[in-house]
Amino acid sequence: MGEHSYRLTVTWTGDRGSGTSGYRDYAREVTVETDGKPLLLGSADVPFRGDATRWNPEELLLAALSQCHLLSYLHACVSAGVVVTGYTDHASATMLQQGNGGHFTEAILHPEVTVAEASMLDAARAAHELAHDWCFIANSVNFPVRHRARVTAGPDN
């Protein structure tokens, strides 16, 4: 098991020539990079003067929760003998802003899962509980992460 470390570089690219001389005088654009991976373009969310065409930290947190659940779920399904043939999550989260700060109040994952056979449905539904317990990201946040999964058997069943 052990300890795992992660490293990346975030660089502010929003200097318009006068730095942070005023709240409206700089852009919120950043790049996120790590060795061997494509550059990720980030910004603040639009209400905070960000660029809507770039990923914001709130979206990235939700994406991390969704992806972690998905990967944990696939592992749980393999362990239970469930063959997953499709998985799409329409995740959502709510953040409460308070002054210059705030916090997430909840995240809700809405996985739509397809399994190979109808006989796998019960085990596939139960695997979501294991995935929730195993998800490193969900275990690291201080707000509830819920899942409302829909599991169906493939078209031939």
Side-chain angles (χ1 to χ4, degrees), residues 86-127:
Y87 186 114
T88 301
D89 183 11
H90 302 284
S92 61
T94 304
M95 184 182 78
L96 178 63
Q97 185 181 356
Q98 296 172 312
N100 287 328
H103 63 276
F104 278 80
T105 57
E106 72 174 347
I108 304 174
L109 309 180
H110 299 273
E112 295 177 3
V113 179
T114 305
V115 297
E117 299 175 12
S119 62
M120 299 174 176
L121 288 171
D122 288 340
R125 288 182 186 107

Side-chain angles (χ1 to χ4, degrees), residues 33-128:
E33 56 190 310
T34 193
D35 291 339
K37 295 184 182 173
L39 192 68
L40 179 72
L41 302 179
S43 183
D45 194 5
V46 172
F48 309 108
R49 305 194 53 78
D51 182 341
T53 66
R54 292 177 174 228
W55 289 92
N56 66 58
E58 296 82 9
E59 291 168 329
L60 291 170
L61 178 58
L62 181 58
L65 286 165
S66 178
Q67 184 178 353
C68 187
H69 184 86
L70 177 149
L71 295 169
S72 299
Y73 179 77
L74 296 178
H75 177 81
C77 284
V78 166
S79 298
V82 173
V83 178
V84 176
T85 60
Y87 186 114
T88 301
D89 183 11
H90 302 284
S92 61
T94 304
M95 184 182 78
L96 178 63
Q97 185 181 356
Q98 296 172 312
N100 287 328
H103 63 276
F104 278 80
T105 57
E106 72 174 347
I108 304 174
L109 309 180
H110 299 273
E112 295 177 3
V113 179
T114 305
V115 297
E117 299 175 12
S119 62
M120 299 174 176
L121 288 171
D122 288 340
R125 288 182 186 107
H128 281 288

